[in-house]
Amino acid sequence: MTADFHDLAGVPRVAEDPIAHHELDALTRRTEAVEDRVEALQVQTGGNFAAVIEGQAALRREVREGFAKVNSRFDVLEEKFGLLEEKMDRNQAHIVELLSALVGRPPRAS
């Protein structure tokens, strides 16, 4: 019986998981590939990659601001529509009152 170095050193042995190592290697390769693509984009754009990112961020801000304006206009229109519905309800109730008062009167009587 021979003693292993880890056993002698008091370090507990952990079985290596080949699947985990394979996954870690795959993730490392993907990360390196992404880094390579970013570097290639920087070279292709002549270092203007940061400017493209900044432009994209500015465009996103403008879109958000546009949506905020549209939402505020929608809120105003919704409020106006609610007021119009209330006015229509009042007018309809007034018409019903007037027609109810006419019920039972002779046709030509005023």
Side-chain angles (χ1 to χ4, degrees), residues 6-42:
H6 294 290
D7 292 335
L8 295 175
V11 177
R13 292 186 63 166
V14 177
E16 292 188 19
D17 185 0
I19 296 174
H21 281 286
H22 178 68
E23 291 293 323
L24 184 59
D25 289 340
L27 287 172
T28 302
R29 285 193 303 274
R30 288 183 198 144
T31 302
E32 290 170 353
V34 168
E35 289 171 352
D36 291 343
R37 287 184 193 141
V38 168
E39 288 176 15
L41 281 172
Q42 287 175 338

Side-chain angles (χ1 to χ4, degrees), residues 28-108:
T28 302
R29 285 193 303 274
R30 288 183 198 144
T31 302
E32 290 170 353
V34 168
E35 289 171 352
D36 291 343
R37 287 184 193 141
V38 168
E39 288 176 15
L41 281 172
Q42 287 175 338
V43 169
Q44 288 176 353
T45 60
N48 293 329
F49 188 69
V52 171
I53 298 298
E54 289 174 14
Q56 187 181 25
L59 182 61
R60 285 182 179 156
R61 281 192 302 274
E62 287 181 31
V63 169
R64 272 195 301 268
E65 290 171 5
F67 275 123
K69 288 179 184 177
V70 168
N71 285 337
S72 67
R73 295 283 295 170
F74 181 76
D75 291 342
V76 169
L77 289 174
E78 191 174 34
E79 182 180 336
K80 287 182 178 182
F81 185 72
L83 294 173
L84 181 62
E85 282 183 323
E86 289 175 14
K87 186 175 182 179
M88 288 172 48
D89 289 343
R90 282 193 309 270
N91 287 343
Q92 186 177 11
H94 187 66
I95 291 170
V96 168
E97 286 177 17
L98 292 173
L99 289 173
S100 297
L102 291 175
V103 172
R105 287 190 177 179
R108 298 269 179 195

